[in-house]
Amino acid sequence: GAGVSQSPRYKVAKRGQDVALRCDPISGHVSLFWYQQALGQGPEFLTYFQNEAQLDKSGLPSDRFFAERPEGSVSTLKIQRTQQEDSAVYLCASSSDRFYQPQHFGDGTRLSIL
Amino acid sequence: GESVGLHLPTLSVQEGDNSIINCAYSNSASDYFIWYKQESGKGPQFIIDIRSNMDKRQGQRVTVLLNKTVKHLSLQIAATQPGDSAVYFCAENKGSNYKLTFGKGTLLTVNP
């Protein structure tokens, strides 16, 4: 597609439920990033893939967060046993190279945990 | 700690004026900087980038200036339009580290 696509755009879940957020990167982009954005704040890095390899997951807040990109294209961010503090916008970005190439973002998934 | 910060949280300008949004960074190892525009309900939109081996880079109506001596970055928007109203973030890439570190953002409001 022309840009990074994320789904769903909005997700409401009850505390304790599991959620899965999907990201379709720009075609041909080998690098894929997940960020978390709290209201009024800048995005915070969660994890990074180069093709199917997860090279950095240092930003994942806890072991309840899991990301995968099995075929090096579409990625899924899964949050298990959701908690209220997980409420945020989850942004996906992709880029064509690791260095000196801008990351292009999708419009995010707004997750609300009740 | 290492961070990217913005001097002004809000900026209000008249349509047609030039806007300047500032950003400070603390890590001298940062070598790549990006400005993003974020409108309500949307993801950050790439505006312009600059590498640390440059002092200035121009795009369409936008210019980014980098002062490595004082670790300062600015975004200049010429002839600001109502459609420029948004939150602007600067982001840095620290050396060989590819993950972006964002500041809090500056809300730009353009008055018609």
Side-chain angles (χ1 to χ4, degrees), chain B residues 4 8 10 15 25 27 30 42-43 45 49 51 56 65 69 72-73 77 80 82 86-87 90 94 97 103 107 112:
Chain B
V4 174
L8 298 173
T10 61
E15 181 178 0
Y25 65 96
N27 189 348
S30 296
K42 295 193 174 182
Q45 176 188 356
D49 58 358
R51 290 181 58 177
K56 178 180 179 179
L65 299 177
T69 302
H72 184 267
L73 191 70
I77 305 174
T80 315
V87 176
C90 64
K94 300 178 182 181
N97 193 338
L107 174 62

Side-chain angles (χ1 to χ4, degrees), chain B residues 34-70:
Chain B
I34 307 175
W35 281 101
Y36 286 96
K37 171 188 179 183
Q38 188 172 28
E39 297 174 283
S40 180
K42 295 193 174 182
Q45 176 188 356
F46 170 77
I47 301 173
I48 192 168
D49 58 358
I50 189 168
R51 290 181 58 177
S52 60
N53 59 357
M54 303 173 67
D55 297 324
K56 178 180 179 179
R57 193 173 188 200
Q58 289 184 294
Q60 187 176 14
R61 283 202 305 120
V62 294
T63 300
V64 54
L65 299 177
L66 176 62
N67 185 330
K68 293 181 287 294
T69 302
V70 294

Side-chain angles (χ1 to χ4, degrees), chain A residues 23-112:
Chain A
C23 172
D24 277 281
I26 293 173
S27 179
H29 278 188
V30 300
S31 298
L32 185 146
F33 305 81
W34 284 98
Y35 292 84
Q36 181 189 61
Q37 187 173 26
L39 188 63
Q41 304 291 319
E44 296 271 351
F45 171 80
L46 293 176
T47 188
Y48 160 68
F49 290 86
Q50 186 174 25
N51 295 306
E52 69 278 3
Q54 189 175 21
L55 299 186
D56 188 341
K57 53 182 181 179
S58 62
L60 296 177
S62 74
D63 58 7
R64 295 186 296 104
F65 287 71
F66 172 77
E68 60 184 3
R69 194 186 185 197
E71 298 179 357
S73 179
V74 171
S75 177
T76 303
L77 177 66
K78 298 179 180 178
I79 309 174
Q80 297 176 325
R81 305 181 302 281
T82 53
Q83 301 177 5
Q84 284 191 324
E85 59 262 33
D86 299 335
S87 296
V89 175
Y90 291 85
L91 295 165
C92 177
S94 69
S95 66
S96 61
D97 199 357
R98 290 183 63 186
F99 300 114
Y100 311 122
Q101 294 296 317
Q103 295 176 23
H104 297 277
F105 285 79
D107 286 336
T109 294
R110 181 175 295 277
L111 176 64
S112 298

